Amino acid sequence: MGRKAKLKQRKKSQINLSKPELIDSDQFVQHLERQGYSLKKPNLAPEVPQKRIEPQI
């Protein structure tokens, strides 16, 4: 077996082993709320003024 074939075989075996676990969406929301975030009332960034302000010297 050549070098590239061995690498290819390893990649295939790693893909089969590392299947992502299904996470419940409620669990995700609860985790965010424990960190202090809220999906119902998000904190928005302040709006950027449209006009350019010249610095005073």
Side-chain angles (χ1 to χ4, degrees), residues 41-49:
K41 287 181 15 182
N43 293 335
L44 302 175
E47 294 195 19
V48 178

